[in-house]
Every structure is written in C-alpha cells, then in structure tokens.
Amino acid sequence: ATANIGVVGLAAMGSNLARNLARHGNTVALFNRHYERTEKLIEDHGDDGNFVPAKTIEEFVASLTKPRTAIIMVKAGAPTDATIEALADAMDPGDIIVDGGNSYFKDTIRREKDIRARGLHFVGCGVSGGEEGALNGPSLMPGGTDESWKTLGPILKSIAAQAEGEPCVTHIGENGAGHFVKMVHNGIEYADMQLIAESYDIMRRGMGMTPDEIGDVFEAWNKTELNSYLIEITADLLHEKDKKTGKPLVDIIVDHAGMKGTGTWTVQTALELGTPVTVVAEGVFARGLSDQTELRAGAAEQNLSGPDGTIEFANDEERKAFINDIRQAMYASKIVAYAQGFNEINDGAKEYGWDIDLAAVARIWRGGCIIRAQFLNVVSDAFESGEANVSLLFASYFKDAIERCQGSWRRVVAKTMSCGIPAPVFATSLSYYDALRSKRLPACLIQSQRDFFGAHTYGRVDEPGTFHTLWAEPGRPEEKMSD
Ligand code: NDP
C-alpha cells in the first residue's frame, strides 16, 4: 500500500479533487464505478502527481496506507449509500470514510452512526467552489470525530483554498455539522444571487440601462465593501455577447433558474428549527416562481394591471444617486441574509449538539467557495469579539453599516414597490430588520385569535402564567391556566 488518500467517484468534482490532492504531494488511490473515467484521468492528467488507479473497490482499499482514508465524490443519495457500504465492507476499524458530496445533513447523521457502530470513522464534508474550486482550492467543511480530523486535517489543509495565508478548512463539529454548515452556505448563496438579480432588474427595466452599463456598475461595486466572487462574475457575464446574434448573452438566456435542493433544505430545516431565514426563503421562492411557466404565461395572458416598472428621474444626478442607493441597499440586505444564516447555524448547533465556532465558519468562507467575499473578514471579527453572538446585526460594525445604508435601503424598497418591480429579497430583509427592532409585534393579536378559536392560551405582559379568556361567555371571564 502506497496511497495516503483515495478518491471514489471521478466525475467533474472527484477527478479535480484527486488532481488537487496529487498536486499537493499526496499519493492518491483512484476508483470509479466505470473504469473508463479512471483511465481518462490517468491519461489526461497522470502528470499531476502520484496516482494509484484501481479496478475494484477491494484493490482500491488495499492500495491505501493505514488509517485508510477515502473521499467519496459520487451522486448524492442512494449512490452515496451504496458506495459507503462497499467501502465499509472492504475497510477495517479505524479507517476513515469521507463523503464530499452534497449530502443532506440528516443522512450524514444517520450514516455516521451506522459506520461508527462498525468501528470506522465517517466524515461528512461540505465542499464548495464547484469544479474550479475542487481543482485549485475549495472551501472545506468537514464534520466527524476529533480523531478522524487528526488524520484528515493535514490532508484537507494541503488542498483547501487560502485566504490571507490561512487554509479555508476547519473541523466544524461532530457527525452532520459539516454538511449542515455547507447547506446554510448554499442557502446564503441563493440570497446573494437573488439580491444581485434584483439589483440588475431595477437597473435594467426600472432605469433602462444596458447589460454593459450594468456590468460596469458591478465592476465598480466590486471595489467597495461588496467585493466578492459573485459580484465579480456578474460584472464579467453582463459584458458577455452571444456568439450567434451579437446580443448581450444574458438577454438570450431563458429566465428560469434551476436548483438542486440545498436552498430548499436550508429553508425546510429553518422551519423545523423555528429560525426565520426569510431572505433565503425568498431567494428559493423567486427561483420557484421563475420556473412556474404555466402560471407566468397565464398571468401574461390575463394582462394583470399595475405600473410598468419604469422609474422616473428628474435628472442625471438623481439617477446616479439611485444607483448608489441600490448598492447600499444590497449591502444592508446582505448583512441581514448572513445574520439569518448564522442564526440558523447557531440554532442547528443547539438542536443537534454541535459546538460550532461561527468566527471560524466565516473565516473558511473567505476563500474557495461561491460566497467568498471581503465582507467575511468583518463577519468573522464580529463573532470573534462576541458582539455577534445573538445576531450579526448587533455587532457595532454592522449596526453602523445599516445606519449608514438605511435611507438608501428604504428608498429602494419604496421605489420598487411603487413602480411595480418585484424585489422580494430587498423587501423581506428590510421587514425582518424592522420587525426585529419593534418593541411590540402584532403577534399579540394572533395569539388572541388563537385563544379565541382554539383555547391556545396566552401570557400577560403584567403577570407570569398562562391565561385563557372565555371569549364566548357573557362578561368574558379570564381564567388563569397555570403559573
Ligand atoms: P455527479 O453528481 O454527476 O456524479 C457522477 C459520479 O457518481 C460518477 O463518478 C458516477 O460513476 C458516480 N455514480 C453515480 N451513480 C453511482 C452508483 N450507483 N454507484 C457508484 N457510483 C455512482 O458528479 P459531480 O462530480 O458533479 O459531483 C459529485 C458530488 O459532489 C455530488 O454529490 C455533488 O452533489 C457534489 N458537489 C458537486 C459540486 C459541483 O459543482 N458539481 C459542488 C460541490 C459538491 P460512473 O462514472 O460510473 O457513472
């Protein structure tokens, strides 16, 4: 046995991860269900480093040094279960199975329990950064035991992206913690992308700007506190022309956005935990609406009434000021999206018994992953100092930022609503912020309705205990139900 690490599943992600591992001095065992992929990897990229190709899973396992460590990069779901099973059968106690696919964290909890019972380690590891990240440095979010981290840590550190000299990987927590954090990362990605899309839409149809002009705006924004991978690629792709027609490529692309499920999981999990992640939810629903072909065609036929989306400006100065408003609104909404996402991680950690260092999570998202952004430096500082323990919105840096951006934020939401441009993420983030700072919410009325029709009881502001009003009785007496 010569390989210190192995990769099972050599499609786009697995082969790039294997190459990255080999380029960093690891000897990499390779296995894929159909051997052609393994052959192709050796043929095309055998020069990247030391590979040990295997035709069977037994041969693959035999080529690994102990403790044997294998990273699975196959289709999520049943194929992952089948691969784990085959590996566990061929491996010995103490060996480590890593699932680098986009698995649902509850599957990871279940698999970890099963594999642990067989004396092996199981690590669910979130991998972000797509194919390019897998090859040149992803952001890695491994869960699992401390013991497995001892073997795996140095290997993952060798291939992770670097941000300010630090590898973008940290041991997130036990069992499903890594996949949970990766899930929320993806949820935040939905929010970030929808915010960019809404900003584009306001400029495009509200202000009549061309994709090129908007691309220039994003390019300029990328030099501000919004500096991030997603803003950078948006600027680039808005400048792209269609080869066939010469038109901006973005105008040729059908306006349906797909999704693979991690955004939906983020929202479903948040609903289970009772954590409001309204910004992520609107991001997911906006994609859903984009794909409701029949509904949208029906609406077009119905010619539903409303303003046409044009924003009027008195002069150029006003137009410029509004572009600046959109930038500031985006920053404020982005802060809310991250505040909600980190709240979900915190609530998940409490529910599932994980000890997750939020500052470390923010740090490993600074490089390699899709939401990488300069802003994550200050996010990690806010958690480090303890100021963001309850909410990122309470950290002085972000409190000040929102104070600064708030006028713009409100102008953008008000303008889009009055002109008929949908901006669900801008709007819901502002509503969340306003709800949070409200001393009293109208939930008192909802609770009275619940008590009225379902005797669900209520608390009083002036006395401890639970109460119920006999709403239908003459004189409506109140009963104290418990202390
Ligand atoms: P795919 O998700 O397309 O999966 C293809 C791989 O799965 C092939 O190696 C295939 O083997 C193998 N496979 C499929 N079914 C089985 C089975 N029943 N038994 C054994 N092996 C099977 O590949 P990707 O590289 O795109 O992604 C791999 C994993 O990484 C997925 O879980 C994905 O969600 C995750 N991921 C992907 C990202 C991306 O940007 N694409 C980013 C981060 C994570 P064969 O060649 O024999 O068919």
Side-chain angles (χ1 to χ4, degrees):
T2 54
N4 64 316
I5 182 94
V7 178
V8 179
L10 301 173
M13 288 297 288
S15 59
N16 278 357
L17 209 62
R19 292 175 62 197
N20 186 355
L21 285 159
R23 285 176 179 184
H24 286 92
N26 298 287
T27 299
V28 190
L30 302 173
F31 177 75
N32 192 71
R33 182 179 55 170
H34 293 101
Y35 189 63
E36 298 84 70
R37 276 200 210 271
T38 315
E39 261 180 331
K40 182 144 176 36
L41 174 56
I42 296 291
E43 229 173 78
D44 295 348
H45 304 289
D47 294 347
D48 275 351
N50 295 325
F51 295 110
V52 187
K55 282 191 172 149
T56 64
I57 204 109
E58 291 75 19
E59 205 185 302
F60 169 83
V61 169
S63 69
L64 289 165
T65 55
K66 283 190 173 180
R68 303 186 187 96
T69 309
I71 304 179
I72 302 174
M73 290 305 283
V74 304
K75 256 191 193 4
T80 299
D81 274 313
T83 309
I84 293 168
E85 198 53 37
L87 272 174
D89 284 347
M91 285 175 147
D92 293 320
D95 290 347
I96 304 164
I97 300 175
V98 184
D99 172 20
N102 264 333
S103 293
Y104 182 42
F105 76 95
K106 287 186 185 171
D107 286 338
T108 305
I109 292 175
R110 166 180 59 79
R111 289 167 179 154
E112 198 275 338
K113 199 167 162 225
D114 292 351
I115 296 299
R116 186 158 32 89
R118 297 168 71 166
L120 287 88
H121 296 282
F122 184 77
V123 174
C125 181
V127 178
S128 179
E131 292 172 30
E132 196 265 332
L135 182 62
N136 297 317
S139 174
L140 297 167
M141 292 150 255
T145 57
D146 289 340
E147 202 185 330
S148 61
W149 174 243
K150 275 188 202 131
T151 306
L152 203 57
I155 299 173
L156 296 184
K157 280 180 186 167
S158 77
I159 59 160
Q162 299 266 326
E164 298 184 14
E166 286 173 51
C168 293
V169 56
T170 190
H171 182 209
I172 304 281
E174 298 279 304
N175 53 65
H179 275 138
F180 187 96
V181 166
K182 171 68 193 329
M183 173 188 79
V184 175
H185 162 284
N186 284 26
I188 292 175
E189 183 181 310
Y190 276 64
D192 267 342
M193 290 169 75
Q194 178 64 21
L195 266 176
I196 292 174
E198 288 176 17
S199 304
Y200 160 80
D201 201 31
I202 299 167
M203 288 186 266
R204 189 77 216 271
R205 73 163 133 162
M207 305 179 71
M209 292 166 67
T210 65
D212 260 333
E213 287 169 340
I214 303 169
D216 291 344
V217 168
F218 279 111
E219 218 171 288
W221 287 2
N222 202 35
K223 297 188 181 87
T224 70
E225 54 211 355
L226 289 175
N227 172 275
S228 63
Y229 170 72
L230 283 169
I231 295 278
E232 181 191 324
I233 64 163
T234 304
D236 287 352
L237 63 88
L238 284 171
H239 286 127
E240 193 75 26
K241 299 286 176 293
D242 174 41
K243 288 201 175 59
K244 197 165 130 199
T245 60
K247 289 184 182 165
L249 186 56
V250 70
D251 284 351
I252 302 295
I253 294 173
V254 177
D255 61 346
H256 298 172
M259 46 187 168
K260 276 196 180 161
T262 43
T264 307
W265 290 343
T266 309
V267 179
Q268 280 171 340
T269 304
L271 289 171
E272 283 171 21
L273 294 168
T275 317
V277 291
T278 52
V279 185
V280 178
E282 286 292 359
V284 174
F285 283 131
R287 288 201 198 180
L289 181 59
S290 81
D291 212 27
Q292 293 268 314
T293 316
E294 218 177 296
L295 183 63
R296 292 178 61 197
E301 249 169 54
Q302 293 289 329
N303 201 13
L304 302 175
S305 73
D308 72 355
T310 311
I311 306 176
E312 303 290 349
F313 296 98
N315 52 44
D316 224 37
E317 217 165 285
E318 245 186 35
R319 282 176 69 86
K320 270 196 197 133
F322 195 66
I323 293 176
N324 193 46
D325 278 344
I326 303 171
R327 177 176 62 80
Q328 308 237 57
M330 187 195 276
Y331 192 51
S333 294
K334 187 178 169 80
I335 296 168
V336 173
Y338 282 70
Q340 293 184 345
F342 277 101
N343 278 348
E344 180 166 354
I345 296 177
N346 233 346
D347 291 346
K350 270 186 221 143
E351 175 73 19
Y352 295 100
W354 301 316
D355 183 14
I356 300 182
D357 176 351
L358 298 183
V361 169
R363 270 201 302 277
I364 65 163
W365 286 350
R366 289 178 307 171
C369 64
I370 305 298
I371 65 170
R372 61 185 181 259
Q374 186 151 27
F375 147 93
L376 285 158
N377 276 309
V378 268
V379 173
S380 79
D381 290 347
F383 285 114
E384 199 89 69
S385 69
E387 278 189 87
N389 277 355
V390 177
S391 171
L392 194 60
L393 294 165
F394 300 171
S396 51
Y397 183 92
F398 293 110
K399 232 175 110 183
D400 293 349
I402 293 224
E403 205 173 300
R404 202 176 63 240
C405 297
Q406 193 163 151
S408 297
W409 202 11
R410 294 188 189 282
R411 276 192 293 278
V412 168
V413 172
K415 198 58 127 182
T416 50
M417 297 299 123
S418 63
C419 294
I421 303 173
V425 165
F426 276 123
T428 199
S429 51
L430 180 56
S431 290
Y432 174 85
Y433 178 73
D434 283 335
L436 208 59
R437 60 188 199 87
S438 298
K439 287 215 167 51
R440 203 161 153 73
L441 291 169
C444 49
L445 182 60
I446 293 172
Q447 195 56 24
S448 25
Q449 290 165 337
R450 295 185 73 238
D451 191 56
F452 189 110
F453 65 68
H456 292 299
T457 75
Y458 55 85
R460 292 183 57 96
V461 294
D462 56 358
E463 193 186 332
T466 49
F467 299 85
H468 169 53
T469 292
L470 300 170
W471 300 90
E473 307 252 327
R476 301 200 170 85
E478 181 182 84
E479 286 179 357
K480 187 164 187 174
M481 310 302 285
S482 70
D483 290 323

